[in-house]
Amino acid sequence: MTTLITDTKTLDVFCRGLAKAEYITVDTEFMREKTYYPQLCLIQLAGPDTAAAIDPLAPGIDLKPVFDLLADPGILKVFHAARQDIEIFYQLTGVVPAPLFDTQVAAMVCGFGDSVGYETLATKLVNARIDKSSRFTDWSHRPLAPHQLDYALADVTHLRIIYDKLSAMLEKNGRASWLTEEMAVLSNPATYDADPMDSWRRLKPRTNSTKFLAILREIAAWREIEARKRDLPRNRLLRDEALLEIAARVPNNADELAKIRALSKGFAEGPMGRQLLEAAQRGLDLPKEQRPELPQKADLPAGRGPILELLKVLLKLRCEEHQAAQKLVANSADLEAIAADDNADTPALRGWRREIFGEDALALKHGRLALTADGSSVRVVPVHELEPAP
C-alpha cells in the first residue's frame, strides 16, 4: 500500500527512522507554470527498506523533520538530475542538502551517455518499466490518486538500486573522485544564488552594442526582481521579445513605451511602466566604461581550424575509451579555446578532464600525438612510433 504522510507527527517518526540510514533517495514533484518559484507539491523519500511520499500541501504539516534530514552531514542524499530539486530545498531553507550523489552525473561518468534519463537507468539497471502516464499530472490537485503516488514513489524506490549499481561501477573503475568534483558544484550555494544583474545573459542578445546591452541588463534585472516579488513567471510579467525591443528602441515616455509590442497602454502608463522606463534610463546613463560586453569569441589563429576538427575526433575516441559522456568532458567552446590557447581557462584542462583528454589534446595540437586509421577504426599513437627506424 502506498504511504502518503500528511501530518507532522507521522513525518517526524518516519524521518527519525531514516536518520539511521547510510543514504536516502530523494525526489520532488512541483508546479511552476504560474509562479516564479516552483510550488512544492510532493516530496518522496526512501531509505534502504522504507519509502513514503510527503504532502507539503497538507494543512498544518511542518516539514522541519525533512529539512533536518536533508541537512544531516552524516547521510548521503541521492537524487537524479538534482539541480531543480536542490534549488527548491535551498529556497525554502537557505541550506543545500549535502553530501550529494546525482545518479544522472554518475551515469555520465560511467558511460551511459549525455544527460541520461531516469527511465533509461531504471530500464537498464533495474529492469523496471516506468509508467509515464502521470508525468504531466497536476501535482497541486488534491486528492492525489493511487496511480500518481505509485508513479512518484517509483522515482525513489528504483533509485536505490540505481545508486547501488552506479556506486559499484565507480568503485570498480576508480572514478569516484570524478563524481566528487562534479558534486562540489551542485553543493555550492552560489550555484542557486542567481544575481538579477546577470539575467540579461539568458536572452542571448546578438549585438555587442554596449548601449543596447547596458539598457538590456537594467530592464532584465528589473523584471527579474519584480517577478520574484510577485512570484510570477518572467514572461508572464514581460516577454523576452519586449525587453529586446525596449533595449533597441529606448522609449522615453509612456506613449513611446505603449508602442512596444506585447505592452498594453495600461501597463505603460502605470507604476510598472514608469519603473521600466527608469530602469532603461539607468542603463542609458551608464558611462561607457561601465557598460557590459559580450565575451569575445577568440578567433582561431590561421591553420587552427583543422586542429579543432582533430580535437573533436580525439574527444570522441577518448570518451569512448573511458566510457564517459562527451558533454561531461568538453564542449565545442572548450575545444575552440584549447585550439587557440594552450593555457585556456577551461574545465577540459583541469582535474580529471585534463587526465583523460586535456593532456592528449595539447600533445595532438603540438604534434606529439597523431591520429591514424586502419580502415575500420581510428587510433591515437605517439608520433615517434610513426617515425621510420634509422
Side-chain angles (χ1 to χ4, degrees), residues 177-192:
S177 62
W178 297 15
L179 187 68
T180 300
E181 287 187 36
E182 303 312 303
M183 293 305 97
V185 176
L186 279 178
S187 300
N188 187 348
T191 302
Y192 312 98

Side-chain angles (χ1 to χ4, degrees), residues 14-52:
F14 176 70
C15 289
R16 285 179 185 274
L18 289 182
K20 303 170 186 176
E22 181 182 344
Y23 72 87
I24 58 172
T25 55
V26 190
D27 190 37
T28 68
E29 307 298 341
F30 57 88
M31 303 290 289
R32 203 171 195 167
E33 287 77 3
K34 299 178 181 179
T35 58
Y36 178 92
Y37 295 105
Q39 179 190 6
L40 181 60
C41 299
L42 201 67
I43 304 170
Q44 302 96 278
L45 297 177
D49 304 308
T50 185

Side-chain angles (χ1 to χ4, degrees), residues 9 101 158 178 188 227 241 324 327 348 364-365 374:
K9 183 177 179 180
F101 187 104
H158 296 319
W178 297 15
N188 187 348
E241 308 88 85
K327 178 180 178 181
L364 178 65
K365 175 182 172 181
D374 60 11

Side-chain angles (χ1 to χ4, degrees), residues 145-361:
H147 69 87
Q148 291 176 296
L149 293 172
D150 289 341
Y151 167 86
L153 279 175
D155 284 346
V156 288
T157 53
H158 296 319
L159 193 56
R160 296 182 292 208
I161 301 174
I162 292 171
Y163 163 70
D164 286 337
K165 292 193 173 183
L166 287 174
S167 294
M169 291 180 188
L170 289 169
E171 183 69 25
K172 184 177 180 180
N173 61 26
R175 296 179 185 173
S177 62
W178 297 15
L179 187 68
T180 300
E181 287 187 36
E182 303 312 303
M183 293 305 97
V185 176
L186 279 178
S187 300
N188 187 348
T191 302
Y192 312 98
D193 283 327
D195 186 345
M197 293 301 287
D198 289 330
S199 62
W200 65 277
R201 299 182 187 278
R202 61 179 296 278
L203 300 173
K204 297 180 180 179
R206 297 182 180 180
T207 175
N208 200 21
S209 161
T210 58
K211 173 185 169 184
F212 175 93
L213 295 178
I215 296 169
L216 183 64
R217 182 173 66 178
E218 292 294 332
I219 61 178
W222 171 83
R223 181 183 70 168
E224 195 75 9
I225 294 168
E226 200 66 24
R228 292 179 184 181
K229 250 192 257 180
R230 297 170 181 267
D231 196 19
L232 285 173
R234 299 178 187 92
N235 274 298
R236 181 165 292 194
L237 184 69
L238 190 63
R239 297 186 63 81
D240 291 351
E241 308 88 85
L243 290 179
L244 293 167
E245 191 174 352
I246 291 167
R249 291 176 56 176
V250 199
N252 291 310
N253 52 54
D255 288 339
E256 293 180 7
L257 186 60
K259 295 176 182 176
I260 301 292
R261 288 175 298 176
L263 281 187
S264 67
K265 188 174 179 63
F267 181 103
E269 293 178 347
M272 287 200 291
R274 183 182 67 255
Q275 294 167 18
L276 189 55
L277 287 170
E278 290 171 354
Q281 190 62 47
R282 285 196 299 272
L284 194 61
D285 291 342
L286 269 181
K288 288 185 179 180
E289 62 273 13
Q290 295 180 24
R291 293 174 179 175
E293 295 182 9
L294 292 175
Q296 293 299 308
K297 188 176 179 179
D299 292 330
L300 287 178
R304 296 295 170 87
I307 290 178
L308 176 60
E309 297 306 313
L310 290 175
L311 291 176
K312 291 178 182 178
V313 176
L314 177 66
L315 176 64
K316 183 174 179 62
L317 285 171
R318 286 298 184 240
C319 288
E320 287 182 357
E321 175 187 333
H322 291 279
Q323 293 189 320
Q326 289 188 51
K327 178 180 178 181
L328 192 64
V329 177
N331 57 30
S332 296
D334 295 327
L335 299 183
E336 290 175 4
I338 293 171
D341 182 2
D342 288 359
N343 299 306
D345 183 17
T346 168
L349 293 180
R350 296 193 293 270
W352 64 268
R353 293 176 176 84
R354 186 178 184 110
E355 292 178 18
I356 71 166
F357 172 70
E359 287 288 355
D360 284 350

Side-chain angles (χ1 to χ4, degrees), residues 130-158:
I130 304 296
D131 179 3
K132 301 178 183 179
S133 61
S134 296
R135 174 179 290 179
F136 300 109
T137 192
D138 182 351
W139 292 102
S140 66
H141 182 73
R142 293 297 183 271
L144 293 170
H147 69 87
Q148 291 176 296
L149 293 172
D150 289 341
Y151 167 86
L153 279 175
D155 284 346
V156 288
T157 53
H158 296 319

